[in-house]
Amino acid sequence: MADDLDDEWWLEDKKHNESSENQENDKKKAKKRKNSQRSERHVKGRDEDVDDENTKKKKKRKRRPKTEDITKELHGKSILNALWDTFSKSCSSKLTPLELDDLKIDDSCCLTEDSIHTGDVSELPSYLEKVIPYWKEQVEKMNKKKTTGSPLLLFVTSAATRAVELNKVLEKFKGDAKTVKLFAKHFKIEEQIKFLDSHVVHLGIGTPNRILKLLSNDSLKTSKTKYVIIDWTWRDQKLRSIADMPEVKEDLNHLLQKFVFPLAKSGKIKVGLF
């Protein structure tokens, strides 16, 4: 008993307490490390998600065409290839090969010449003088027959502002010819129907949508129409042509399919691209 009391028992208790404290500290450190690792994994996961989203966004973005990749000129002898290739490619998912073949036109249907077109309005009068050399004589002939609502020349462009601009430069070429503006801006379709029904018109200039509507309801007639020219090379501020603009090209394709190509194949009209 005396031997037991002589032992340094308080030192044992102290060692035991220190050991317990060390174990507790080790547990806290381990827990802290574990939480830290979880946090790092969470942040890393969020970063990966962000990277994935950015990658997806990058994939969705369409490459904008470079200016140098866009054709801004058209040779007068290559209009058939330009027109038909664009139309057939655009309509390949909607028309069968047989339907496309029934619509296909050849060189005899086109107004071909040797000049190069850039879409500049100043080039239009000289272009028309080449492809329609007897314009004044044909205008006089139409005036004698007094057929209303059927223009000798139908000029198709992509916007009302462009139509107005083109019409201004044609004053000298037109001579005594009467023009009808066939677009929606500032003109109600009812007014255009009334005008076509009561006037002999020699030049119709407008957009595919309004021209298509007036042809479909037979207000715009083709009995005296000999030429259809499309404003092909001009491009807007986004470098889009009449065949590229989503809001225009569908109407243009319908116009070509329902009226222009069938009339050209039958020999009633000739098609030109400016």
Side-chain angles (χ1 to χ4, degrees), residues 251-264:
D251 290 323
L252 176 64
N253 287 338
H254 287 144
L255 180 62
L256 292 170
Q257 180 186 345
K258 293 181 179 180
F259 295 98
V260 177
F261 287 152
L263 287 170

Side-chain angles (χ1 to χ4, degrees), residues 80 105-112 264-265 267-271:
L80 176 62
I105 59 175
D106 56 32
D107 283 319
S108 66
C109 303
C110 300
L111 294 167
T112 56
K265 283 198 75 170
K268 292 182 178 179
I269 67 167
K270 286 188 178 290
V271 185

Side-chain angles (χ1 to χ4, degrees), residues 62 83 86-94 156-159 207-209 212 230-232 236 240-258 261:
K62 292 183 179 179
L83 178 59
T86 303
F87 173 79
S88 58
K89 185 178 179 181
S90 180
C91 296
S92 60
S93 61
K94 300 174 184 177
V156 187
T157 188
S158 56
T207 55
N209 181 271
L212 188 60
I230 302 170
D231 192 17
W232 193 261
D236 65 4
R240 302 176 305 174
S241 72
I242 191 171
D244 300 327
M245 300 178 188
E247 65 274 22
V248 176
K249 70 177 183 179
E250 287 301 316
D251 290 323
L252 176 64
N253 287 338
H254 287 144
L255 180 62
L256 292 170
Q257 180 186 345
K258 293 181 179 180
F261 287 152

